[in-house]
Amino acid sequence: MSESSATGQQPKPRKFQAIKGARDLLPAETPLWNHVEETAHAVFGTFGFSEIRLPIFEPTELFARSIGLDTDVVSKEMYSFEDRDESMISLRPEATASVCRAYIEHNMQQLPQPVKLYYMGPMFRRERPQKGRYRQFYQIGAEVLGGRDSPGIDAEVIDMVMIFFDKLQLQGLELDINSIGCRECRSKYVEVLRDALLKVKDKLGPDSQRRIETNPLRVLDSKLPSEQEIIATLPRMAAHLCADCADHFAEVKRQLELRGVIYRENWRLVRGLDYYMRTTFEITAQGLGSQNAVCGGGRYDGLVELLGGPPTKGIGFAIGEDRLILSLQESGKAPSTPGPDIYIAWMGEKAFATAIRAAKDLRAAGYRVELPATDQKFGKALGQADKLGSRYALILGQDEVTSGDWTLKTLADGSQKKYTEHELLEYLREGKPGGQKEI
């Protein structure tokens, strides 16, 4: 018999908490999230991108084929489970594969090309949680599918994301770009790189030694201090680009310069998967420590074909929204939680009916209105309005209802003035504390 049963006490209910690596976004935080996402909608729309909303789970094989069975993401980090029909499904660890799947499934190749899509939402990876990195994390991304392999598309995609960050006033931005060539010239470079790495194998750590055979390009990603001098002496991709890839990269850089986009060439910026090719880029920001990348992207002309679709050009990027938010917060760019525009302080049943009508009209005009459910003495009501950060208090008592002259108090300076119902709306529209803007 349990101790609680013996004493006749009910067991204490379990106190639930969010699962490790997931968290709640509280009301004090969501204004910044909304601002970031609304800015993405606005900026991406001006470049002709349309939003796509994707399922949170997909067939496991979609990610196994696109990301690779031997990658840590697929082998260790995905949340995968068997469905009731015994098929395997996974929570999405990224969205590019899902966008390509949708492009194929809905025959988007029949649409005017290229098709420009963007998305935002949660992704899932069972990684070790750390600053700015969660097991349920959020991404904003965009993909351009179809059309020609044009350097102009590459430059415009990069320009768009830099304009997005500029609109958010993100601090300490740096754009790194590189070309990793095509299948033909990259495969030749990989062999040259492997030969060079074999000569210094004994000086490398276990991970880099393993990658010499599996994926030599990933050695260039190494952050081990002991390997940096060695890596600096390795052959560079730029010297091994074929003529077409060299011309493509030169034109991307020229078009970035035409757009006024400042960039830095980074020969160590690579992608580990075979379908990535030519342009690759990464954007870093301040306030994120050593792991300061906030956006990564590149060209992936072979992915749609790999997933069963027709030969299709593709380029895109993904923004780590959690890390973007963190950088904005640490640079002091976070908007505060807005309080009400108007707090309605009322007393008496007649005043309550008037208060309800006033609240409906003010809300219809676009103002944030707080209408308390019970009447309060005006002193207490004004104190509550001040605590909530309201700009105005609309005072409705017996005198205001009888005369039709409503008292509006400006809480910042304590001034107040009487208005008829019509005059009040006109005054607020002129002041525009939060209502609909005139066009």
Side-chain angles (χ1 to χ4, degrees), residues 5-22:
S5 299
T7 60
Q9 296 177 342
Q10 291 294 322
K12 189 176 180 179
R14 175 185 170 187
K15 182 181 177 181
F16 289 96
Q17 292 184 309
I19 292 170
K20 185 178 181 180

Side-chain angles (χ1 to χ4, degrees), residues 141-209:
E143 318 290 346
V144 180
L145 295 169
R148 299 175 61 190
D149 177 10
S150 168
I153 292 176
D154 299 20
E156 185 168 84
V157 165
I158 295 170
D159 187 25
M160 181 177 79
V161 73
M162 293 299 286
I163 288 172
F164 168 64
F165 287 144
D166 185 58
K167 292 282 188 185
L168 294 174
Q169 299 180 48
L170 189 62
Q171 301 297 298
L173 282 180
E174 290 189 340
L175 166 66
D176 285 359
I177 64 170
N178 191 27
S179 175
I180 55 174
C182 60
R183 286 187 182 88
E184 287 72 24
C185 61
R186 183 168 68 249
S187 62
K188 294 175 183 177
Y189 168 66
V190 166
E191 290 309 311
V192 171
L193 180 61
R194 180 179 282 118
D195 289 343
L197 287 168
L198 287 170
K199 294 175 183 176
V200 294
K201 181 176 180 179
D202 294 342
K203 300 178 183 179
L204 300 174
D207 284 343
S208 292
Q209 289 184 1

Side-chain angles (χ1 to χ4, degrees), residues 172-287:
L173 282 180
E174 290 189 340
L175 166 66
D176 285 359
I177 64 170
N178 191 27
S179 175
I180 55 174
C182 60
R183 286 187 182 88
E184 287 72 24
C185 61
R186 183 168 68 249
S187 62
K188 294 175 183 177
Y189 168 66
V190 166
E191 290 309 311
V192 171
L193 180 61
R194 180 179 282 118
D195 289 343
L197 287 168
L198 287 170
K199 294 175 183 176
V200 294
K201 181 176 180 179
D202 294 342
K203 300 178 183 179
L204 300 174
D207 284 343
S208 292
Q209 289 184 1
R210 174 175 52 82
R211 287 169 175 164
I212 291 174
E213 296 305 324
T214 60
N215 196 338
L217 289 174
R218 292 299 308 278
V219 177
L220 303 181
D221 279 336
S222 171
K223 303 297 188 291
L224 284 178
S226 61
E227 296 183 345
Q228 300 312 302
E229 287 187 12
I230 300 168
I231 292 172
T233 65
L234 294 172
R236 303 189 176 196
M237 182 72 225
H240 295 80
L241 292 175
C242 64
D244 286 346
C245 288
D247 289 346
H248 184 279
F249 191 40
E251 181 62 14
V252 170
K253 291 185 287 185
R254 189 185 76 85
Q255 292 215 22
L256 287 175
E257 290 160 8
L258 284 174
R259 291 168 166 82
V261 178
I262 298 171
Y263 64 85
R264 176 176 62 188
E265 288 189 59
N266 180 359
W267 71 277
R268 292 179 57 176
L269 183 58
V270 297
R271 294 288 180 261
L273 302 177
D274 287 343
Y275 55 77
Y276 278 102
M277 61 180 295
R278 293 190 170 172
T279 307
T280 184
F281 62 93
E282 184 176 85
I283 302 167
T284 57
Q286 74 176 28

Side-chain angles (χ1 to χ4, degrees), residues 362-367 428-430 432-439:
L362 289 166
R363 286 167 178 159
Y367 299 100
L428 292 172
R429 285 194 185 101
E430 288 173 10
K432 298 183 182 69
Q436 294 173 341
K437 303 284 192 274
E438 294 178 357
I439 299 175

